[in-house]
Amino acid sequence: METEYRTIYKGGEGEITEKKSRFIATVSPASSEEEALMFIESMRKKYWDARHNCFAYVIGKRGELKRFSDDGEPGGTAGKPILEVIMGEEVRNVALVVTRYFGGTLLGTGGLVRAYSSAAKEGLASSVIITKIPGVKLRIGTDYNGLGKIQYILGQKGLEVLDAVYTEKVELEALIPEKLLGDIKADITEGTNGQAVMQEGESCYFAKVDGKTRIVE
């Protein structure tokens, strides 16, 4: 069974100022280390005149790969706090760069940790984070007598019908979470006295985006 996980649907940008130093956090989805490194390099080019471009990224549905860099800041004051914010939010397949424009006042190690953490939180707060749920497209054929029961079963679980074709019979297509597939099929079989015909389609990930269910890669 695939893993349900939180990830970035759309990256964002946040900024804080601490003792005249600007901390700009930029977030991007990254499904591979190569994508993460390309994004980090693009931020270095964009903010070429900044003193520091510190970063962290987490790759893999279970966060198998984690990397961070202080980029010249004192050890443990930048990259690691950024990574800890990402892990605390349980976000995966993400890269986050915090760019610092030095304001002339030293912040100390504690001040740097707080500033980089706060900036990272702002960046994530401005991003669109979704929960990707592994699912299966289930095709359901039924007569009109069974339609209401099937709609009720799906509705009870908050599941949406993707498509419906009404002829002499009804053909429905619904996205079912993998972990619920067996129970849903059993409920539909019982609810229609075995009259409904079901066929499992392709597996996919889906998520709620702006209140709507969407298939996501």
Side-chain angles (χ1 to χ4, degrees), residues 85-96:
V85 169
I86 294 173
M87 297 305 294
E89 291 292 330
E90 298 183 338
V91 182
R92 305 292 181 258
N93 286 350
V94 57
L96 200 165

Side-chain angles (χ1 to χ4, degrees), residues 170-195:
V170 183
E171 296 284 339
L172 305 174
E173 185 176 66
L175 272 175
I176 312 297
E178 265 188 6
K179 62 184 179 182
L180 297 180
L181 183 60
D183 290 342
I184 293 293
K185 290 176 69 174
D187 289 347
I188 290 174
T189 297
E190 181 180 350
T192 62
N193 295 316
Q195 296 303 302

Side-chain angles (χ1 to χ4, degrees), residues 61-132:
K61 299 167 187 176
R62 296 178 177 85
E64 295 91 339
L65 177 63
K66 306 176 187 70
R67 296 285 187 272
F68 62 86
S69 170
D70 296 310
D71 193 33
E73 293 282 28
T77 63
K80 189 174 182 182
I82 296 169
L83 178 63
E84 288 175 348
V85 169
I86 294 173
M87 297 305 294
E89 291 292 330
E90 298 183 338
V91 182
R92 305 292 181 258
N93 286 350
V94 57
L96 200 165
V97 177
V98 178
T99 302
R100 182 190 182 190
Y101 283 94
F102 184 56
T105 302
L106 296 175
L107 301 183
T109 56
L112 285 172
V113 169
R114 286 190 295 272
Y116 278 102
S117 297
S118 296
K121 289 175 183 177
E122 288 292 320
L124 288 178
S126 70
S127 304
V128 179
I129 298 175
I130 59 173
T131 299
K132 292 180 70 169

Side-chain angles (χ1 to χ4, degrees), residues 30-86:
S31 59
S32 68
E33 186 169 28
E34 182 182 15
E35 283 186 21
L37 294 174
M38 287 175 62
F39 167 68
I40 292 162
E41 186 58 30
S42 73
M43 290 298 100
R44 284 179 174 148
K45 289 179 179 178
K46 179 178 180 180
Y47 297 112
W48 60 270
D49 57 340
R51 179 168 290 191
H52 306 284
N53 284 289
C54 307
F55 66 81
Y57 55 86
V58 178
I59 307 298
K61 299 167 187 176
R62 296 178 177 85
E64 295 91 339
L65 177 63
K66 306 176 187 70
R67 296 285 187 272
F68 62 86
S69 170
D70 296 310
D71 193 33
E73 293 282 28
T77 63
K80 189 174 182 182
I82 296 169
L83 178 63
E84 288 175 348
V85 169
I86 294 173

Side-chain angles (χ1 to χ4, degrees), residues 140-155 161 165-166 168-172 184-198:
I140 309 166
T142 181
D143 57 25
Y144 284 87
N145 292 328
L147 177 60
K149 186 64 177 179
I150 293 169
Q151 290 174 327
Y152 175 78
I153 291 168
L154 296 177
V161 174
V165 178
Y166 299 93
E168 292 181 358
K169 292 191 174 183
V170 183
E171 296 284 339
L172 305 174
I184 293 293
K185 290 176 69 174
D187 289 347
I188 290 174
T189 297
E190 181 180 350
T192 62
N193 295 316
Q195 296 303 302
V197 177
M198 289 171 280

